[in-house]
Amino acid sequence: MGPASLRSVYPGPGGFDPKEVKREFPIFANNPDLVFLDSAASAQKPRSVIDGTAEYYRTDYANVHRGVYRLSARSTERYEEARDKVRRFLNASDRREIVFVRNTTEAINLVAQSWGAAFLREGDEVVISELEHHSNIVPWQLLRDRIGIKLVVAPIDATGGLDLAAFETLLSRRTRLVAVTHMANATGALVPVERVVALAHRHGAKVLLDGSQAAPRLPVDVQALGCDFYAFTGHKVYGPTGIGVLYGRFELLSAMPPYQGGGEMILHVSFDKTEYQEPPHRFEAGTPDIAGAIGLGIALDFIEELGRENIREHEEALTGYGVDRLAQIRGLRLLGAGQRRLGILSFDLEGVHPHDVSQVLDQHHVAVRAGHHCAQPLMEQLGLSGTTRASLGVYNDEADIDRLAEALKAAREMFLR
Ligand SMILES: *Cc1c(COP(=O)(O)O)cnc(C)c1O
């Protein structure tokens, strides 16, 4: 499980061998025929995360930030060490900028309900895009219903990427926040977030980036990006479910009221008045998912050991191979993903419903997603009820894409004889 053994498996500069990486994921030994192409919904877990989490329960488990006894101190140390790993993973400048939450969904709801409710007024505008996951739409609609903000939607262009020119025209003095995805989960479109941040800041707006799909695939540097908030979810970066991260600039987090009240987030409580902790603890009410945070830290170690540039190159190469391979299948139309696509192949097979496609693929042990991918407004915009989506992870290789292509040909023949 230790880093030393991992390093010998994954040589550095030449990239890694996905076949070797696959051996680190017990799910494949237990499901020998499985071709797993649904990492965009949730990634599989490496042995180090599974065993490391169990090991924590066996050796260091106790509640955090409370006990004066040694075991609790050790548990607290491991929980806070996980926070340091997240800080490094995002290159945040201060560990207090890292808040543990349940997932991306909770991170965005926290910003909407805390920052949004405290600092936005009726008529203020929040700009999102047509590429968003429901998690980055519905929290803003709830806030709209609560305080009367205006939700503005930036369109995609004909290629399926964010229409930057149109986006720019939507920005004004009324724009207080731009909340967009770093990478679209339904199509794999990479959003030029550096440009988005620069344009938004020029208009005095804050920027929240949804990094759910980018965090597992790209190096992310929140200082270089200059964003104000960044959210990602543990289960898509090869970590456990139930844990996620909100990064927020310290100055912003310090000014924000608590999101939920309870234990862990207070300094002093009386029935008249309660004093709150500083960030991040102010936003971590109640006993946190301690084991989840530690497991997430181990998952980030795993990613760093593979090398984030190596992962990006692996996904780029495999995405390119997939695009070529799918282009050979008659009647298959790949959804546009703008200037840059990464790790996701979302498509329509003429005359066959996505659920039927995925069922036939499942008979060939190829696991893909079918449906609207929690992006119903985008699907409507594209004139589709849904698509079939194959998404990549560090354990996939060309043979998996070949199996996908063969199964798709079988599906086509079955339905279009
Ligand atoms: C998966 C995903 C989410 C939601 O993640 P949860 O873990 O379900 O909260 C949000 N945005 C994008 C782009 C996603 O891919």
Side-chain angles (χ1 to χ4, degrees):
M1 178 208 112
S5 66
L6 282 179
R7 204 154 286 132
S8 65
V9 176
Y10 316 127
F16 55 84
D17 178 357
K19 283 199 180 54
E20 298 286 342
V21 173
K22 198 168 179 174
R23 289 198 195 108
E24 293 294 319
F25 290 77
I27 195 93
F28 296 110
N30 292 318
N31 299 271
D33 282 336
L34 175 66
V35 173
F36 188 74
L37 292 171
D38 196 22
S39 297
S42 201
Q44 295 297 340
K45 318 305 172 200
R47 197 185 315 279
S48 60
V49 169
I50 300 167
D51 294 352
T53 306
E55 206 245 356
Y56 159 68
Y57 277 122
R58 286 202 194 92
T59 57
D60 292 332
Y61 181 74
N63 209 335
V64 292
H65 302 137
R66 287 182 197 166
V68 289
Y69 54 92
R70 272 167 294 171
L71 192 61
S72 172
R74 219 152 66 214
S75 193
T76 304
E77 208 172 288
R78 294 203 57 183
Y79 179 68
E80 291 302 326
E81 180 189 75
R83 196 186 308 278
D84 288 324
K85 289 179 183 183
V86 175
R87 186 204 65 72
R88 281 199 298 276
F89 185 75
L90 294 177
N91 194 35
S93 62
D94 189 327
R95 64 191 313 285
R96 296 174 300 173
E97 298 180 316
I98 305 301
V99 181
F100 284 123
V101 290
R102 278 192 298 131
N103 46 34
T104 295
T105 302
E106 188 173 47
I108 297 174
N109 277 281
L110 193 165
V111 176
Q113 297 299 324
S114 169
W115 181 83
F119 294 103
L120 300 186
R121 296 282 167 270
E122 189 176 345
D124 283 347
E125 295 181 359
V126 170
V127 178
I128 61 172
S129 86
E130 280 181 342
L131 293 169
E132 302 313 312
H133 187 282
H134 295 164
S135 288
N136 196 27
I137 301 173
V138 184
W140 307 114
Q141 292 174 330
L142 289 172
L143 188 66
R144 177 183 65 193
D145 298 345
R146 190 172 147 193
I147 65 170
I149 58 158
K150 197 171 156 219
L151 197 52
V152 178
V153 184
I156 53 171
D157 62 21
T159 69
L162 178 69
D163 186 336
L164 266 178
F167 167 73
E168 192 170 358
T169 65
L170 296 174
L171 301 173
S172 74
R173 271 190 312 112
R174 308 194 72 96
T175 313
R176 301 293 310 282
L177 177 75
V178 171
V180 294
T181 192
H182 194 165
M183 183 183 148
N185 68 299
T187 65
L190 262 171
V191 173
V193 285
E194 293 83 355
R195 295 282 298 139
V196 167
V197 172
L199 290 169
H201 282 173
R202 197 179 300 161
H203 288 83
K206 303 282 184 278
V207 180
L208 176 148
L209 298 177
D210 174 353
S212 307
Q213 296 297 337
R217 298 188 167 84
L218 294 170
V220 175
D221 181 334
V222 290
Q223 294 188 73
L225 288 171
C227 57
D228 300 282
F229 298 104
Y230 196 94
F232 73 96
T233 198
H235 66 98
K236 294 184 188 176
V237 290
Y238 308 99
T241 54
I243 188 80
V245 170
L246 172 68
Y247 157 82
R249 282 201 300 110
F250 189 72
E251 180 198 324
L252 294 173
L253 291 181
S254 316
M256 283 160 56
Y259 165 57
Q260 294 175 329
E264 302 266 2
M265 50 77 73
I266 47 82
L267 279 176
H268 176 78
V269 179
S270 73
F271 284 116
D272 295 329
K273 185 180 181 335
T274 292
E275 280 175 78
Y276 307 121
Q277 289 257 31
E278 287 289 291
H281 302 295
R282 183 186 301 168
F283 303 105
E284 294 179 4
T287 300
D289 185 351
I290 311 167
I294 289 166
L296 173 62
I298 300 171
L300 300 184
D301 288 343
F302 176 82
I303 286 181
E304 300 288 1
E305 276 159 24
L306 286 181
R308 289 161 87 183
E309 282 298 344
N310 290 340
I311 293 174
R312 188 218 316 248
E313 279 168 27
H314 163 76
E315 297 232 5
E316 264 170 4
L318 204 51
T319 303
Y321 182 78
V323 169
D324 292 346
R325 211 62 181 79
L326 294 188
Q328 296 161 9
I329 295 169
R330 262 193 310 134
L332 186 147
R333 186 171 66 88
L334 195 61
L335 256 63
Q339 301 306 303
R340 276 183 74 200
R341 172 201 307 277
L342 193 65
I344 289 174
L345 302 160
S346 201
F347 54 85
D348 182 53
L349 193 58
E350 194 182 17
V352 192
H353 193 277
H355 283 121
D356 295 330
V357 175
S358 69
Q359 241 160 41
V360 176
L361 295 193
D362 185 50
Q363 283 158 16
H364 289 78
H365 306 285
V366 178
V368 297
R369 198 69 151 193
H372 54 63
H373 318 297
C374 299
Q376 264 176 336
L378 175 62
M379 292 295 134
E380 263 163 43
Q381 177 62 27
L382 297 169
L384 297 163
S385 65
T387 69
T388 307
R389 180 186 73 183
S391 56
L392 308 174
V394 291
Y395 28 63
N396 293 119
D397 64 5
E398 293 184 356
D400 293 338
I401 302 283
D402 293 341
R403 290 265 304 273
L404 169 70
E406 290 314 310
L408 282 170
K409 280 181 193 155
R412 210 185 127 68
E413 270 165 35
M414 194 164 171
F415 286 97
L416 300 179
R417 247 190 314 245

